[in-house]
Amino acid sequence: MKDRSNKITIYDIAQKLNLSASTVSRALQNNPLINEETRLKVQEMATEMGYVPNWIASSLRKKRSNILGLIVPRTSMYFQSTAISGIQHEAHKYGFSIMIGQSDESVAMEKELVHTFYSLRVDGLLAVSSMFTTNTDHFNPFVKNNIPIVFYDRVPTDFNGYTITGDDYQGGYLATEHLIRQGCKRIAHFSGILTCNLYQQRLAGYKAALAAYDIPFDESLIHVHDLTMTSAAVAAQKIFSKGQLPDGLFSANDSSAVAFIQEAKKQGIDIPKQIKVVGYSNDLSSRIISPSLTTIEQSGYNMGQKAASTIIQLINQDEGIKVTKNYVFPVELIQRESTM
């Protein structure tokens, strides 16, 4: 194993090439004051000798790291993976790198990640709160030191800063209204934990659509869980064990809707003849399941791009550019076989 104390420095490269350390440093940073021939020589020698720049020391000197912290609940979620792609591509255009932390829906892990990113002196923090985050006290080191934070998708209710969200209220309304227009009158709803802003909004949209069409709200049709396929399967089994089935289901994510359809098939229940189903997010699974799933598109990639461009504008303090504090993406319903 290599002795970590024997790291190659710019002084070693300078000695090899008979150059000053300052010339080597500038060459490694592609400084235009250094001619191209010298820059290439230095960079080739650095590669040959295995030189690794000390970005922490560099960021302390420049007071900039050009690194963004990113906290998400789970990278495996389709929406988050597409949003991360948008963030990565947008950040790269402006010379920023991304460090990703996964909270696994744990507030304790989220707090640890916030502390870690603050200690690493990231230039800004992008975050999607866990399903159980109810306040933002642990983000205070960033706020107090004027380090930009932008929440996207899920936003804690007490956060007053910059946010990028989808129109979750409208999404809930559109999904429920579509089921009503397809003839459904007894519509079940799979909701995420209601400490989370977007599930509150999707439920509010669901209730508003029922009211608009004079359909009474029935609390027994609301099933609140963590929206995993396992939890959705358990909720579906409870529904099927009761005498009266719903004729529609609006699920606050696609994976729960897919699990419901799979359980319905096991029970010999015909989707969409007996129960029509609408999901949320337009996951790949919504197109693969049979029947294909009607869903709400919320533009994960575009939301990621917008979140990245917003935080970079805040970091750079671009004059003349007005940064929207609370940007809301429109949503649209995509009809497929599960409601036809």
Side-chain angles (χ1 to χ4, degrees):
M1 187 181 287
K2 260 190 176 180
D3 182 357
R4 290 192 176 203
S5 64
N6 292 332
K7 287 182 178 176
I8 302 299
T9 69
I10 60 170
Y11 299 99
D12 299 316
I13 300 168
Q15 188 176 20
K16 276 274 187 183
L17 294 173
N18 198 26
L19 295 170
S20 70
S22 60
T23 298
V24 170
S25 177
R26 290 191 185 103
L28 290 170
Q29 295 174 53
N30 289 310
N31 191 309
L33 293 174
I34 308 300
N35 67 60
E36 187 177 357
E37 184 183 351
T38 303
R39 287 206 306 269
L40 287 172
K41 272 186 187 177
V42 169
Q43 289 166 8
E44 285 170 7
M45 182 59 71
T47 302
E48 185 182 317
M49 295 177 71
Y51 170 75
V52 178
N54 186 337
W55 65 267
I56 294 177
S58 176
S59 68
L60 287 170
R61 286 194 302 271
K62 298 176 187 174
K63 298 186 179 179
R64 284 281 291 269
S65 67
N66 278 72
I67 294 173
L68 303 176
L70 172 58
I71 300 174
V72 296
R74 293 191 301 272
T75 56
S76 60
M77 297 165 73
Y78 177 77
F79 174 81
Q80 294 305 337
S81 66
T82 57
I84 290 168
S85 292
I87 290 167
Q88 182 79 46
H89 293 158
E90 189 70 13
H92 184 261
K93 285 182 353 189
Y94 293 92
F96 282 83
S97 297
I98 307 294
M99 294 182 70
I100 303 173
Q102 183 173 262
S103 72
D104 281 326
E105 302 290 11
S106 161
V107 177
M109 178 59 76
E110 183 179 278
K111 288 178 179 179
E112 189 176 315
L113 288 168
V114 171
H115 176 74
T116 298
F117 285 136
Y118 180 72
S119 300
L120 290 172
R121 298 173 181 266
V122 296
D123 290 335
L125 183 65
L126 293 165
V128 181
S129 70
S130 84
M131 205 178 285
F132 305 98
T133 301
T134 55
N135 68 67
T136 54
D137 289 351
H138 47 294
F139 291 89
N140 282 347
F142 282 85
V143 176
K144 288 176 180 176
N145 289 281
N146 297 314
I147 303 169
I149 303 176
V150 174
F151 275 92
Y152 72 91
D153 189 36
R154 297 187 197 165
V155 180
T157 52
D158 71 332
F159 183 68
N160 295 316
Y162 288 85
T163 62
I164 314 292
T165 57
D167 194 340
D168 294 295
Y169 176 90
Q170 181 67 7
Y173 189 97
L174 285 175
T176 310
E177 181 183 53
H178 175 70
L179 289 167
I180 294 168
R181 288 184 170 179
Q182 295 301 105
C184 301
K185 293 183 179 177
R186 182 174 162 77
I187 301 168
H189 177 44
F190 282 178
S191 171
I193 307 303
L194 290 170
T195 50
C196 185
N197 69 303
L198 56 83
Y199 301 125
Q200 294 171 8
Q201 290 298 308
R202 290 173 195 177
L203 175 58
Y206 162 88
K207 289 180 177 179
L210 294 180
Y213 286 85
D214 296 319
I215 297 174
F217 171 69
D218 183 348
E219 187 75 43
S220 70
L221 292 171
I222 306 301
H223 302 268
V224 178
H225 51 80
D226 61 6
L227 294 179
T228 61
M229 293 190 77
T230 301
S231 297
V234 171
Q237 289 160 13
K238 286 181 182 175
I239 290 170
F240 300 146
S241 68
K242 295 177 181 177
Q244 188 181 8
L245 291 176
D247 53 12
L249 170 74
F250 162 42
S251 173
N253 75 357
D254 283 341
S255 57
S256 291
V258 166
F260 182 89
I261 291 172
Q262 290 173 330
E263 288 300 313
K265 283 182 179 179
K266 291 177 188 176
Q267 298 292 326
I269 294 168
D270 191 300
I271 307 291
K273 284 184 182 176
Q274 288 175 267
I275 307 175
K276 300 185 190 301
V277 182
V278 179
Y280 209 109
S281 285
N282 196 24
D283 287 8
L284 288 174
S285 62
S286 67
R287 286 157 260 181
I288 296 168
I289 188 70
S290 180
S292 56
L293 180 64
T294 296
T295 187
I296 302 293
E297 172 61 68
Q298 58 174 347
S299 307
Y301 183 88
N302 294 337
M303 193 181 291
Q305 278 191 313
K306 182 66 178 176
S309 65
T310 298
I311 200 163
I312 290 167
Q313 286 169 358
L314 293 172
I315 291 165
N316 290 336
Q317 298 179 327
D318 294 335
E319 292 183 12
I321 296 178
K322 185 179 179 183
V323 183
T324 303
K325 190 171 183 183
N326 305 114
Y327 190 92
V328 180
F329 273 93
V331 296
E332 64 174 316
L333 183 130
I334 299 172
Q335 184 174 12
R336 297 196 180 103
E337 296 166 344
S338 67
T339 58
M340 289 180 177

